[in-house]
Amino acid sequence: MAKVRVLTSLVLLMGYACVAIGAYHLVLGTASVPGEGAAGATVDSRERFYNAVFLGYGLAWLWVARQRPVPARWVRGLAGIFLLGGAGRLLSLAVHGPPQWFQLALTVLELALPPLYFWLADADEKAAAPPGPAPRVRM
């Protein structure tokens, strides 16, 4: 049961965090990006668009958290998308060098959290599964 509570808590936390971050960046545009100055209308437009999508990604996490049992397939899929974002940051790091320090901290989270989600993903489904038949004892 502890794994189920941890899974549900982390899925809810991820959902609320992504909704809040997406809304913050959607409203403020490039002004919300640490270490960035005025980037122009094109980059601001892209920032706001991507963060509307990120807000929707957070809503997907919240939907998953409210399912009973929490569907492992969805947890793994959403965590995989998060991991892909971390891989994108690593690619940027390789091509352009290190970004502002907070972006590096986010990269660590984006690479560290998905394995935890993958490990916890089926905890609720396993807990909700009816007990199988007793093993047969051969004599």
Side-chain angles (χ1 to χ4, degrees):
M1 279 310 262
K3 280 177 70 173
V4 173
R5 282 193 302 277
V6 171
L7 171 66
T8 304
S9 297
L10 284 175
V11 170
L12 278 170
L13 180 63
M14 178 70 92
Y16 287 126
C18 292
V19 166
I21 293 165
Y24 176 74
H25 287 273
L26 176 64
V27 170
L28 295 179
T30 55
S32 66
V33 181
E36 285 301 308
T42 301
V43 174
D44 185 75
S45 174
R46 186 185 64 203
E47 175 74 13
R48 292 175 196 268
F49 173 80
Y50 287 152
N51 279 287
V53 173
F54 195 65
L55 191 153
Y57 173 72
L59 293 174
W61 277 102
L62 293 175
W63 176 82
V64 167
R66 287 171 169 73
Q67 304 306 301
R68 291 296 169 257
V70 172
R73 180 176 59 174
W74 279 88
V75 171
R76 288 185 184 113
L78 291 170
I81 292 168
F82 200 60
L83 182 60
L84 188 59
R89 289 192 197 264
L90 286 179
L91 180 60
S92 179
L93 181 65
V95 172
H96 296 288
Q100 197 263 357
W101 72 268
F102 189 68
Q103 303 301 312
L104 289 173
L106 292 174
T107 304
V108 170
L109 285 175
E110 291 157 357
L111 298 174
L113 283 177
L116 178 61
Y117 281 109
F118 295 148
W119 177 64
L120 292 170
D122 62 357
D124 201 17
E125 288 179 349
K126 284 182 178 177
R136 297 179 97 182
V137 178
R138 293 185 182 204
M139 295 197 186

